[in-house]
Amino acid sequence: MFRPSRLLMIIGLCCLTLFLVLAGWLHSVGDLARRATLPAVRFVSKNAAAVFLSRSSSNVSLSPEEVRTLESRLTRLAVDYTRLKALEEENKALRLQTKFLTSSEFDSVGAHIISRDLRDERALLLIDRGLQDHLEIGQAVITDEGIFIGKIYSLKERVATVELFTDPHSRVAAALAGEQRLIGVVEGRGNGAARLTYIPSSEKIQTDQIVVTANTQDKVPQNLPLGIVNAVLGKPTDPFLSAAIEPLVHLNQISLVSVLRPSVFRSP
Amino acid sequence: MRRIILAGLLGALAGLWEIAVRPFLPIPFMFRPLLMIVVMLLVVSRRSRAVASAAAGAIVMDLYALPVFDFALLRWLLLIFCLDLLIRRVLTHRSWYAAVSLVLVGRFLEYSTAWLIGRVSFWTGFTHVAWSRDVHWWIPAIWDVGFVSLVFFILVFLTQRFVTSVLRPEERSFGRF
């Protein structure tokens, strides 16, 4: 067994380390260790995600009813997409005509997910970008397709934690696609679910409408799609309605994300 | 010394698995190898190597912890101390039952200490994310039992290390009437 002197030494060492951690004096050591180990962690997590996420996505089985629902939704979205594409073309032509200068306020930086915690009560991701990449708490995180998935929750020098919008602590101001005004707040419900709450009962909200981010948060650009209305809940006499929101992407299948940061950090 | 470094590397790899591979695995395969390695090293009486591998794995976990306040290094050193105490005072014989009991107690202690540190830090305001138990907490425990049993029987088969050399009293010929 451990000798009393050795035991005291271990306890003392642990107490000293705990004190140094709490005082924040080990941050630089931690950053140095992260700098040395991050390539290995990134390599391992990238390959694990590539192997296991592709395998699990190929095993998804749907019931005939779910297939029918998804097909009808796809048809409606295809119609919307065609209409939007036509509008986009028209918009491009108009911009060219007026020599409109497009300048986005945001720039994106790609990041790999190196760890994650997707439990019933929590939906967090750990990405390989941090303070050194000019990230800030509250910045929007999107997928490759530009779908909003969450916000930066905490930061370290080389890594950052992303809180997905399905996390029970997450709150995101939302609007309906095509409408500029704030309609409610998307609250995470855990287990991959979210709910749009505080919808004034005067609002006309229907299933299959796309929910996007609203223009009320400094670090989150507006019109980033985040989910689709699955069901509208509440009676017409209620002051507020709520709606079940289904994410547009499988949040447990993501391995690459982009963080939107102010465009001043855009590399030349 | 070289073997201690190797044990440390093995522990670091186990820690890497727990933070970077395990979250992407399908639920039935979400095993956690660090405790299995530590327990097997304790069972074969390699205490210093067990400490080295636990410390290395815990440091990797601490470096890439999600914002739940955790101090894996402290927890794992405490765990080693408790398991060592147990193996020296209670589970003194080296049997399959002892190895399995040890790994199950270890898993229970691991969850308990994580819960304690997580709760205390949440109550004291160090973090806003409370520690929560994994819904499938029993899956690593099943893997623990399976892995420890397999390695134990392989060790018995290959090294004859834990085979009893003394017959039980009722089987001794001179004891029979």
Side-chain angles (χ1 to χ4, degrees), chain A residues 149-168:
Chain A
I149 57 164
K151 291 190 278 191
I152 298 288
Y153 175 78
S154 70
L155 279 165
K156 285 179 184 163
E157 195 59 32
R158 285 165 198 281
V159 291
T161 308
V162 177
E163 185 181 59
L164 297 180
F165 72 85
T166 55
D167 186 284

Side-chain angles (χ1 to χ4, degrees), chain A residues 104-146:
Chain A
S104 172
E105 289 174 21
F106 292 93
D107 170 34
S108 70
V109 57
H112 281 287
I113 296 170
I114 54 175
S115 188
R116 63 183 194 176
D117 191 353
L118 301 176
R119 287 188 239 176
D120 288 357
E121 302 166 16
R122 199 180 299 158
L124 301 168
L125 308 175
L126 189 72
I127 57 170
D128 62 347
R129 299 281 184 177
L131 285 168
Q132 68 160 13
D133 303 292
H134 309 290
L135 301 195
E136 290 172 18
I137 290 172
Q139 284 176 338
V141 180
I142 59 171
T143 62
D144 291 347
E145 299 89 16

Side-chain angles (χ1 to χ4, degrees), chain A residues 17 33 41 45 62 110 132 146 153 159 161 187 217 232 254:
Chain A
T17 318
V41 174
S45 60
L62 297 169
Q132 68 160 13
Y153 175 78
V159 291
T161 308
E187 295 179 4
Q217 297 164 100
V232 182
I254 303 167

Side-chain angles (χ1 to χ4, degrees), chain A residues 184-203:
Chain A
V185 177
V186 173
E187 295 179 4
R189 292 288 156 138
N191 209 9
R195 186 169 284 188
L196 181 60
T197 55
Y198 302 114
I199 310 166
S201 53
S202 56
E203 291 288 340

Side-chain angles (χ1 to χ4, degrees), chain A residues 59-239:
Chain A
N59 290 339
V60 174
S61 59
L62 297 169
S63 68
E65 195 181 335
E66 283 173 320
V67 171
R68 272 196 297 279
T69 315
L70 289 174
E71 276 175 353
S72 67
R73 186 173 281 178
L74 189 67
T75 313
R76 259 175 269 161
L77 289 175
V79 172
D80 284 348
Y81 175 77
T82 316
R83 197 162 54 87
L84 284 172
K85 202 74 189 163
L87 285 170
E88 194 184 353
E89 290 299 323
E90 190 185 332
N91 192 5
K92 260 187 201 166
L94 285 169
R95 277 168 192 251
L96 278 174
Q97 278 175 8
T98 56
K99 293 183 180 173
F100 189 79
L101 248 174
T102 55
S103 62
S104 172
E105 289 174 21
F106 292 93
D107 170 34
S108 70
V109 57
H112 281 287
I113 296 170
I114 54 175
S115 188
R116 63 183 194 176
D117 191 353
L118 301 176
R119 287 188 239 176
D120 288 357
E121 302 166 16
R122 199 180 299 158
L124 301 168
L125 308 175
L126 189 72
I127 57 170
D128 62 347
R129 299 281 184 177
L131 285 168
Q132 68 160 13
D133 303 292
H134 309 290
L135 301 195
E136 290 172 18
I137 290 172
Q139 284 176 338
V141 180
I142 59 171
T143 62
D144 291 347
E145 299 89 16
I147 294 164
F148 176 85
I149 57 164
K151 291 190 278 191
I152 298 288
Y153 175 78
S154 70
L155 279 165
K156 285 179 184 163
E157 195 59 32
R158 285 165 198 281
V159 291
T161 308
V162 177
E163 185 181 59
L164 297 180
F165 72 85
T166 55
D167 186 284
H169 295 99
S170 165
R171 301 288 181 271
V172 181
L176 289 175
E179 296 176 26
Q180 296 293 319
R181 68 180 188 283
L182 176 74
I183 191 175
V185 177
V186 173
E187 295 179 4
R189 292 288 156 138
N191 209 9
R195 186 169 284 188
L196 181 60
T197 55
Y198 302 114
I199 310 166
S201 53
S202 56
E203 291 288 340
K204 287 178 182 170
I205 182 167
Q206 295 170 334
T207 53
D208 294 341
Q209 278 188 294
I210 303 282
V211 178
V212 297
T213 52
N215 188 24
T216 55
Q217 297 164 100
D218 283 346
K219 294 170 187 171
V220 180
Q222 63 176 340
N223 289 326
L224 292 175
L226 66 85
I228 189 163
V229 177
N230 240 349
V232 182
L233 312 161
K235 296 171 196 162
T237 50
D238 292 342

